[in-house]
């Protein structure tokens, strides 16, 4: 009944302090690179919400934020590549230097779709920032401009990342025990 989330975690991949250091460093780089630009940070819900809320507090230049929610059909551990917009951005993108903020770049199919869609709306520029990157799993030619850290091909949860909508509230990134999603 009262099962503790931590018993489903095989090991901690990134601790709270490692995450904070990583995010602070990304914030410094982005603040330098976007000086004099018109930064709009777009968080892809829901996975990037924890990362976004930490990252934006390390941005030292003026910026705006917005949110977009997409769902890739299928609720398991793999993406289908077919994406539905559940919540669109609130503002037109003309004149903005867009920074798309994601939790993890896996096959890249979801992000490829999102980037093409946003590109078509004519922003001044568009770049991608992902907390985690699983390069081994890539199925399309897409690279992030800012990467917190590369991770091995294991299913990870916490710090916003979920399995079946659970574990997002863990303060660290952990590797989910395979028996949790294979049963
Ligand atoms: P992609 O289209 O395969 O790149 O899928 C990206 C999305 O899949 C991410 O935004 C996550 O929601 C989800 N995802 C991929 N790998 C993981 C993982 O290891 N843990 C949790 N979610 C993941
Ligand atoms: Mg997800």
């Amino acid at each position: 009944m009262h099962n503790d989330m931590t018993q489903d975690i095989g090991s901690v991949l990134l601790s709270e302090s490692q995450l904070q250091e990583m995010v602070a460093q990304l914030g410094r780089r982005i603040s330098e690179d976007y000086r004099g630009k018109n930064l709009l940070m777009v968080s892809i819900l829901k996975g990037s919400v924890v990362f976004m809320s930490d990252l934006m507090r390390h941005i030292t230049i003026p910026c705006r934020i917005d949110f977009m929610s997409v769902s890739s059909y299928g609720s398991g551990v793999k993406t289908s590549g077919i994406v539905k917009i559940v919540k669109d951005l609130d503002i037109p993108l003309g004149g903005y230097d867009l920074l798309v903020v994601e939790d993890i770049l896996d096959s890249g199919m979801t992000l490829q779709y999102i980037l093409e869609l946003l590109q078509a709306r004519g922003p001044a520029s568009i770049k991608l920032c992902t907390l985690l990157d699983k390069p081994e799993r890539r199925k399309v030619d897409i690279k992030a401009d800012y990467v917190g850290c590369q991770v091995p091909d294991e299913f990870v949860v916490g710090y916003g990342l979920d399995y079946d909508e659970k574990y997002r509230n863990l303060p660290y990134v952990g590797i989910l025990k395979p028996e949790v999603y294979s049963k």
Side-chain angles (χ1 to χ4, degrees):
M1 276 301 265
H2 289 279
N3 78 29
D4 184 340
M5 285 186 297
T6 59
Q7 74 192 21
D8 296 338
I9 305 302
S11 62
V12 175
L13 190 62
L14 296 164
S15 69
E16 289 187 67
S17 63
Q18 285 174 312
L19 286 164
Q20 284 314 311
E21 199 177 305
M22 201 178 281
V23 173
Q25 203 183 322
L26 286 171
R28 281 194 294 273
R29 278 182 57 202
I30 293 164
S31 301
E32 274 171 35
D33 294 354
Y34 282 84
R35 188 154 294 141
K37 300 203 170 176
N38 197 13
L39 176 59
L40 172 63
M41 298 172 78
V42 171
S43 160
I44 309 299
L45 297 171
K46 301 173 228 172
S48 74
V49 83
V50 180
F51 175 40
M52 176 75 162
S53 72
D54 281 345
L55 181 62
M56 64 189 279
R57 283 176 284 179
H58 288 283
I59 303 295
T60 53
I61 56 167
C63 77
R64 295 194 185 199
I65 63 165
D66 205 349
F67 297 88
M68 183 170 191
S69 179
V70 300
S71 72
S72 42
Y73 293 97
S75 73
V77 290
K78 286 204 181 102
T79 318
S80 64
I82 305 163
V83 178
K84 184 175 85 173
I85 298 179
V86 177
K87 185 226 169 285
D88 206 340
L89 299 175
D90 294 335
I91 52 172
L93 300 182
Y96 284 107
D97 293 291
L98 232 68
L99 184 64
V100 174
V101 178
E102 248 294 35
D103 54 356
I104 188 165
L105 187 51
D106 187 48
S107 75
M109 290 164 78
T110 312
L111 270 167
Q112 173 168 268
Y113 181 93
I114 293 172
L115 291 177
E116 274 172 19
L117 185 125
L118 296 177
Q119 188 72 67
R121 297 183 187 177
S125 69
I126 182 161
K127 282 188 177 181
L128 173 60
C129 174
T130 185
L131 176 71
L132 306 177
D133 184 15
K134 275 187 196 169
E136 285 171 64
R137 301 252 312 162
R138 205 75 85 251
K139 287 209 190 98
V140 294
D141 184 25
I142 182 172
K143 265 204 190 105
D145 302 282
Y146 302 94
V147 177
C149 163
Q150 293 196 345
V151 295
D153 184 10
E154 311 250 24
F155 201 80
V156 294
V157 294
Y159 198 69
L161 291 123
D162 73 305
Y163 169 65
D164 206 13
E165 297 299 325
K166 294 189 288 269
Y167 310 101
R168 294 193 197 275
N169 54 320
L170 283 173
Y172 54 84
V173 173
I175 298 175
L176 192 62
K177 287 180 180 168
E179 63 255 38
V180 178
Y181 54 83
S182 56
K183 70 186 169 203

